[in-house]
Every structure is written in C-alpha cells, then in structure tokens.
Amino acid sequence: MTEAQPVAVAVSTVIFGLREADGEPALHLPLVRRVREPHLGRWALPGGPLAPEESLREAARRNLAATTGLDPRHLEQLYTFGAVDRGGAERLVSIVYWALVRTDEADRTLDDVNVAWFPVEALPPLAFDHDEVVGWAVKRLKAKLEYTRISHALLPEEFTLAQLREVHEAILGRRLDPANFRRRVEATGTVTRTGGLQSGVRHRPPALYRSTARQELLT
Amino acid sequence: MTEAQPVAVAVSTVIFGLREADGEPALHLPLVRRVREPHLGRWALPGGPLAPEESLREAARRNLAATTGLDPRHLEQLYTFGAVDRGGAERLVSIVYWALVRTDEADRTLDDVNVAWFPVEALPPLAFDHDEVVGWAVKRLKAKLEYTRISHALLPEEFTLAQLREVHEAILGRRLDPANFRRRVEATGTVTRTGGLQSGVRHRPPALYRSTARQELLT
C-alpha cells in the first residue's frame, strides 16, 4: 500500500518578520525572484527540492538560512499543497513550513538583488499558487495569535506592552485599545515584568516585560 | 526553485469512528493488513501512492472508500511525514489525512479479511511509523473536541445529550459529569432541541438535539 510513483516534491517556507513601513511595524515576508522557467522573473516563496538526506524540517531551515541568513524563533509545518495543475507541466507537491523571525533580525539587509522583504499587505504578483499559500499562512498566524504566545517570537527577549500591542496590531491589521490590551494580556499571565525600564526614554519610561514561557513552549 | 527530485509520495488516512467495545462506545479506526514487503503481514493505515490525476484530498477519499466503503463526515489534512528513514529503502513522503465517519456507519462490516476496525486503545503493532501518525491524529482530534463542534460529525443527525457525552468520553478516554456536561454544552449554543424524544424508551425518553451548524461548518 505504500509503493508510490515519483512526484516532484519541494519544501517552501513562509517567513514572517516585522519591519517598519511608513514609520510603523508591519508584517513582512521575504521573497525570491525566480531565475528560471516556469514563472521566470516572478517573485516566489523561498523553497526548493527536498534533498535525499534531509528531513522536511531540515529542508525548511535550509531555505530559511539561504534566504535570510537567519535561524527562526518558530518553525512549523503549515500545509501540503498538491493540486494536479499547480506545478505546470510537472506534478509538484509542496510541503510548506512557516517561520517567525525576531523584529531586529528581520531588519537585516540581504546582499542579493533577487531576495527582498515585502509587506504582506502589498505583495507583488507571485509565482505558482503562492498567493494562496501566503493566505493560508497569514490565516494560521492570526488564529495562533488568539490562543498562543506566538507573538512573543517576533519580539526581543524584553519588550514593552506597547511593542507587544504593535505586534498584534501589525498581524491583525487593525488598532487595539491600549488599556484593554494591557488588561487582557496581564490577565493571561503570559508575560511578567523584568523590573527594568525601557532605556532611551526620559519621561516615564515604560516597564519591560518578558514571556513567562520558555522559548520552546511559546506555542 | 521548484525543480524537485523524484521522491515516493503516498497519501494515508486515519479514519475515526465510534464502535461498541465491552458494551460501550469506543474510538476505533480501520487498518489494512499489508500483503507485500516491507512490513508484510503487519497492519497499516489505509493508503497508497498518489495517482497522477487526483488531488491529495481525492486520494484520501479514495483510500477511505476502498477501506470502508464510506463517504466521511469530516476529512482534513493532518500532517506530512517525511523522515529520511521512515520508508525503509525508499525515500517516502506521506501526506496524512484524518476523517470522521458516523457511528452507525462505523458499524458496517467489511467483507475483506485484510481490513478490520481496532480500538485506538488496543492497536496491534503497526507498519512503518504509523503508530506515531495515529498519535498525532488522536492528539488533533482531542484538541479539536475542545474548540469545535467536531464531535457532532460522529453522531447521527439527531442525538441525545447522553450520546454526545459518550462521544466526548470515548475520545477523551475518561468519564464526564453528566450535569456539568449538559450545562457546558447548552451554554455554547452549539446544539438545539429538535422537539422530538428518543424512540424506544418508555420511561421519560430523553430529548433529541441536533447541531446548530450546517454540516460543512462543523469545524
């Protein structure tokens, strides 16, 4: 029951990070410009064929390192896409992972003209069915925001509640009431004060917080 | 970035249904005895190679029909397994779906000595990494039980609250307090009384309920 015919298998990765756009943090992802057919010249998610000796997760990490030079804070399998016609002439099954990188890391500039970060809300036309793939990833990220601590993975170790709120606002694409947000977060017990205050702020510097969960327990 | 080398691709399905065991409903799944190497003679999840002209979901439906003769109430992609050594000599990537069939349908007997339903709590040794796959599926089912109406998919259109509680008990593997369960379910607004009473019960027959969601909205 397991003898399977050859099908092209690729691993692709949707990598989310927060970067400034118009002076505010906005959800971004890096894309790679295709240098061959099909879809030559179009932007696509970082990805490539599954190598013989690597696991699916290793392939995703390899994509991520090659595209951004980063080790992700969060890496998780999203979904496998396998519609009959999605690869064009070849039958292509893509196992997609999604990753979160820290805000300060997402600002790193890549020295490759064929790699660039784009705001999720203003993506160029994408190759293959990658717009559908990004849509799934954004939906999953929004859902996880509600019932996990995943937003912490986008922030430095210590952060203010305003920074945490800005992460939520960037992902949800809408403003949140600061007082309500503070009450809700404090009630969940997912963050705790470090005792420190934000540096570089003279007048009433805001308190710093950290996640109460260890990094590997963020979700 | 998408030219991928050939890897064997299979689709497998974990099919859950409730059947009686020791006089009580218990979570069961059908397995298929392997009639060839590797793992000749072992029980395995229904599955097989991805056919050229079918989508991943169609392949899962085909497995399900071939194994149980059933159309599922719920069918969802679970996860893709691709560890380097999981297929033995060949590199095998398996896209796994999970399905729920109605209790009355899960009682259907299959006319094939190489197909049988087993209680999830008492599975035989499984081929490949299928014990890990089943573990994932059970975990997902339990998680979805908490925040969706997925338990309705295991029941007939009309059911009593005792039947609904038995579904939850069978999946969770523990008893639930009937009064608490009733209060909790009624508070969610996920079920509504049909106005009918359970037939075949002379003394104070219990009320019948149905899901307030359309079938396709169950999850």
Side-chain angles (χ1 to χ4, degrees), chain A residues 69-108:
Chain A
L70 298 176
D71 216 25
R73 293 285 288 277
H74 180 75
L75 180 66
E76 180 184 320
Q77 197 183 101
L78 175 69
Y79 200 74
T80 296
F81 296 81
V84 173
D85 58 357
R86 66 182 292 279
E90 72 177 349
R91 182 68 196 272
L92 176 66
V93 169
S94 290
I95 300 128
V96 178
Y97 279 73
W98 65 288
L100 297 179
V101 298
R102 276 204 344 237
T103 299
D104 49 341
E105 296 181 327
D107 281 330
R108 189 186 289 203

Side-chain angles (χ1 to χ4, degrees), chain A residues 73-74 152-153 157 213-219:
Chain A
R73 293 285 288 277
H74 180 75
H152 303 178
E157 287 298 329
R214 290 200 311 279
Q215 191 59 41
E216 64 271 28
L217 299 177
L218 282 188
T219 56

Side-chain angles (χ1 to χ4, degrees), chain A residues 1-10 32 34 36-38 47-56 77 79-82 84 90-93 95 97 128 147, chain B residues 1-10 32 34 36-38 47-56 77 79-82 84 90-93 95 97 128 147:
Chain A
M1 302 295 290
T2 62
E3 291 74 9
Q5 63 162 19
V7 173
V9 176
V32 179
R34 287 182 57 79
R36 64 186 79 180
E37 294 290 354
L50 179 64
E53 292 303 320
E54 66 186 357
S55 68
L56 304 177
Q77 197 183 101
Y79 200 74
T80 296
F81 296 81
V84 173
E90 72 177 349
R91 182 68 196 272
L92 176 66
V93 169
I95 300 128
Y97 279 73
F128 303 107
Y147 66 90
Chain B
M1 301 295 289
T2 62
E3 291 73 10
Q5 63 163 18
V7 172
V9 177
V32 178
R34 287 182 57 79
R36 64 186 78 178
E37 295 289 357
L50 179 63
E53 292 303 320
E54 67 186 356
S55 68
L56 304 177
Q77 196 183 101
Y79 201 74
T80 296
F81 295 82
V84 173
E90 72 176 349
R91 182 67 195 272
L92 176 66
V93 169
I95 300 130
Y97 278 74
F128 304 107
Y147 66 91

Side-chain angles (χ1 to χ4, degrees), chain B:
Chain B
M1 301 295 289
T2 62
E3 291 73 10
Q5 63 163 18
V7 172
V9 177
V11 175
S12 297
T13 308
V14 184
I15 303 160
F16 291 117
L18 290 186
R19 294 162 63 99
E20 296 271 321
D22 300 329
E24 297 195 354
L27 198 61
H28 282 65
L29 53 82
L31 297 172
V32 178
R33 203 197 313 258
R34 287 182 57 79
V35 294
R36 64 186 78 178
E37 295 289 357
H39 299 289
L40 172 67
R42 280 231 173 184
W43 293 94
L45 293 169
L50 179 63
E53 292 303 320
E54 67 186 356
S55 68
L56 304 177
R57 170 175 285 266
E58 283 163 0
R61 274 191 189 275
R62 180 171 53 79
N63 290 340
L64 208 142
T67 314
T68 65
L70 297 176
D71 216 24
R73 292 285 287 279
H74 179 75
L75 179 66
E76 180 184 321
Q77 196 183 101
L78 175 68
Y79 201 74
T80 296
F81 295 82
V84 173
D85 58 355
R86 66 181 294 278
E90 72 176 349
R91 182 67 195 272
L92 176 66
V93 169
S94 290
I95 300 130
V96 178
Y97 278 74
W98 66 288
L100 297 178
V101 298
R102 276 205 343 237
T103 300
D104 50 340
E105 296 181 326
D107 281 329
R108 187 188 289 201
T109 310
L110 291 153
D111 191 24
D112 183 336
V113 294
N114 287 321
V115 179
W117 287 84
F118 291 89
V120 168
E121 292 302 319
L123 295 179
L126 301 184
F128 304 107
D129 56 358
H130 287 184
D131 50 349
E132 183 189 347
V133 176
V134 171
W136 271 75
V138 170
K139 194 176 155 195
R140 182 76 60 93
L141 176 59
K142 286 183 178 175
K144 282 225 152 181
L145 194 63
E146 295 300 320
Y147 66 91
T148 71
R149 302 163 195 229
I150 203 159
S151 54
H152 304 177
L154 287 158
L155 288 165
E157 287 297 330
E158 302 192 350
F159 48 83
T160 67
L161 287 186
Q163 287 172 327
L164 183 61
R165 176 170 46 79
E166 284 174 350
V167 170
H168 282 248
E169 289 175 339
I171 293 172
L172 296 173
R174 59 184 167 84
R175 296 282 179 200
L176 298 171
D177 178 72
N180 279 345
F181 183 80
R182 170 184 293 268
R183 265 195 300 275
R184 198 156 61 87
V185 168
E186 287 180 340
T188 61
T190 54
V191 298
T192 184
R193 286 193 186 215
T194 66
L197 299 174
Q198 190 174 28
S199 61
V201 180
R202 269 171 194 271
H203 181 60
R204 297 180 57 189
L208 289 171
Y209 289 75
R210 61 175 172 75
S211 180
T212 51
R214 292 201 311 278
Q215 190 61 41
E216 64 271 28
L217 298 178
L218 281 189
T219 56

Side-chain angles (χ1 to χ4, degrees), chain A residues 10 12 61 69 73 85 89 96-98 109 123-124 149 157 166 173 176 201:
Chain A
S12 297
R61 273 190 189 276
R73 293 285 288 277
D85 58 357
V96 178
Y97 279 73
W98 65 288
T109 310
L123 295 179
R149 303 164 195 226
E157 287 298 329
E166 284 174 351
L176 298 171
V201 180

Side-chain angles (χ1 to χ4, degrees), chain A residues 183-199:
Chain A
R183 265 195 300 277
R184 198 156 61 87
V185 168
E186 286 180 340
T188 61
T190 54
V191 297
T192 184
R193 287 195 186 213
T194 65
L197 299 175
Q198 190 174 27
S199 61

